[in-house]
Amino acid sequence: MIDNKSILSAAYFHNEDAAYAFVEARLWPRGPVCPHCGGVERNRKMQGKSTRVGVYKCYDCRKPFTVKIGTIFEASHISMRVWLQAIFLIASSKKGISSNQLHRSLGVTLKSAWFMSHRIREAMRGDALSPLGADGGAVEVDETFIGHDKAIKPKGEKKGRGYHHKNKVLSLVDRNSGQARSVVIDDMKASTMVPIVRANVAREARLMTDEFSTYKLVGREFAQHGIVRHMLGEYVKGDIHTNTIEGFFSIFKRGMKGVYQHCGHNHLHRYLAEFDFRYNNRVALGVSDSERADLLLAGVKGKRLTYQTTTI
Ligand SMILES: [Zn+2]
């Protein structure tokens, strides 16, 4: 037999026991934890022939449980090894992967593929985060427009012009750490944008933006505010620029156009979470495909999504 070093030949992609063992080792590093009573001492693995893979019984509260409880895998009939395959595919493809492609590659129904990919995106969502630029470094902030928000009718704008009816995204990139953070915004009012900038950028940071009036308003609150006047064709003044965030937007837009053509407004925040996650854990920052999949797996806890909330 040829010694195959392919990551896809790993046992946890093909064997259900190995898949559970892989997930349990990551979510329960100190051994199984009962999700019902929090017990850690008296949990026994059920071994009977008719027992499902991965079932434990807690002898404190006498209830059965698996590692799926309280995670994105809960109440799903898809096998763990297929979940791990989907996580690896999504984590390792630079521009993302469509539900259609997952459906074809994994042999699950299109509906299951769509459901899995939304849950996996939810696992990529960051938790409460510290402000960017706390080391006094540059934080670039900019907004972009993508697709159409079907809830908004074009307001007398000529076809193809204006952004009123488009989905609006506000992103921030910390230049030193290379970390990006993106939020869907309903409008471009200062009352919408200023609180997001305040909550996500440290006062010590050097803010880098274009000349949009809202940024001028909030810019005074930071150690420095570097402005590039794009309207005047000005793009770089020493280290004052927004080129990093523009690079981030171009990856996001290529991915959205190429892979996710039909993304509704109510799902956009999940796609943003996916692009932020992949960008923040990219190869250029020293994160391999397997490490990225591992980081994604660490985010599956506490992100249980009901079917209703993912229905269009
Ligand atoms: Zn218990």
Side-chain angles (χ1 to χ4, degrees), residues 33-40 42-43 57-65:
V33 182
C34 169
H36 308 294
C37 72
V40 291
R42 307 207 302 143
N43 298 316
K57 184 170 176 178
C58 168
Y59 285 88
D60 285 334
C61 70
R62 313 205 69 79
K63 286 179 185 156
F65 64 91

Side-chain angles (χ1 to χ4, degrees), residues 244-309:
T244 320
I245 198 158
E246 269 147 41
F248 170 73
F249 283 150
S250 80
I251 297 170
F252 175 60
K253 291 198 164 182
R254 259 182 283 145
M256 290 302 285
K257 275 185 195 141
V259 181
Y260 305 119
Q261 295 101 329
H262 310 291
C263 167
H265 179 75
N266 51 340
H267 295 302
L268 185 58
H269 66 285
R270 292 205 191 93
Y271 290 98
L272 287 174
E274 176 183 351
F275 281 90
D276 282 358
F277 175 86
R278 210 181 283 110
Y279 183 82
N280 294 345
N281 299 293
R282 61 194 183 276
V283 174
L285 294 176
V287 183
S288 71
D289 288 352
S290 298
E291 285 166 335
R292 197 176 313 109
D294 250 15
L295 287 164
L296 204 168
L297 192 54
V300 302
K301 267 188 187 169
K303 303 272 181 58
R304 189 173 176 262
L305 213 58
T306 64
Y307 202 79
Q308 284 71 26
T309 56

Side-chain angles (χ1 to χ4, degrees), residues 1-6 9:
M1 201 178 121
I2 298 161
D3 182 26
N4 191 342
K5 291 264 166 56
S6 162
S9 63

Side-chain angles (χ1 to χ4, degrees), residues 3 8 21 34-35 68 85 101 138 141 151 163 171 175 177 189-190 216 228 241 243 247 249-250 257 281-282 309:
D3 182 26
L8 297 174
C34 169
K68 287 165 118 182
Q85 291 173 20
Q101 182 66 53
V141 181
Y163 54 79
S171 294
R175 218 185 270 167
S177 67
K189 291 176 187 156
K216 288 183 184 163
V228 275
H241 64 79
N243 293 351
F249 283 150
S250 80
K257 275 185 195 141
N281 299 293
R282 61 194 183 276
T309 56

Side-chain angles (χ1 to χ4, degrees), residues 68-234:
K68 287 165 118 182
I69 295 183
T71 72
I72 63 164
F73 311 125
E74 188 170 352
S76 148
H77 298 296
I78 292 148
S79 62
M80 192 62 95
R81 60 189 188 276
V82 173
W83 271 110
L84 292 179
Q85 291 173 20
I87 285 176
F88 184 80
L89 286 174
I90 290 183
S92 60
S93 41
K94 195 174 175 190
K95 294 185 201 162
I97 184 161
S98 70
S99 297
N100 246 308
Q101 182 66 53
L102 271 188
H103 153 63
R104 293 194 301 270
S105 298
L106 303 181
V108 297
T109 65
L110 184 57
K111 192 174 171 184
S112 292
W114 190 83
F115 185 45
M116 291 172 89
S117 55
H118 270 306
R119 285 187 164 195
I120 291 169
R121 259 174 225 121
E122 197 62 20
M124 291 174 160
R125 193 162 49 84
D127 292 321
L129 299 148
S130 52
L132 303 171
D135 60 354
V139 178
E140 301 178 25
V141 181
D142 200 4
E143 69 289 335
T144 193
F145 312 104
I146 191 143
H148 282 201
D149 182 350
K150 298 203 172 65
I152 304 174
K153 288 205 172 92
K155 219 193 211 173
E157 287 161 349
K158 281 184 190 154
K159 201 175 175 234
R161 295 189 57 207
Y163 54 79
H164 173 75
H165 60 288
K166 294 193 168 180
N167 291 307
K168 301 155 197 80
V169 173
L170 180 66
S171 294
L172 310 95
V173 176
D174 184 323
R175 218 185 270 167
N176 285 347
S177 67
Q179 300 295 295
R181 225 173 265 183
S182 306
V183 194
V184 182
I185 51 175
D186 290 333
D187 55 57
M188 304 255 308
K189 291 176 187 156
S191 57
T192 302
M193 294 170 66
V194 167
I196 297 170
V197 175
R198 275 191 191 132
N200 287 285
V201 185
R203 296 293 170 269
E204 298 80 8
R206 301 168 62 229
L207 193 69
M208 302 288 160
T209 71
D210 61 20
E211 67 270 66
F212 185 50
S213 58
T214 296
Y215 300 132
K216 288 183 184 163
L217 192 73
V218 72
R220 285 180 286 233
E221 299 175 19
F222 300 94
Q224 190 198 339
H225 183 198
I227 301 173
V228 275
R229 291 171 181 80
H230 288 164
M231 300 285 274
L232 300 177
E234 184 181 275

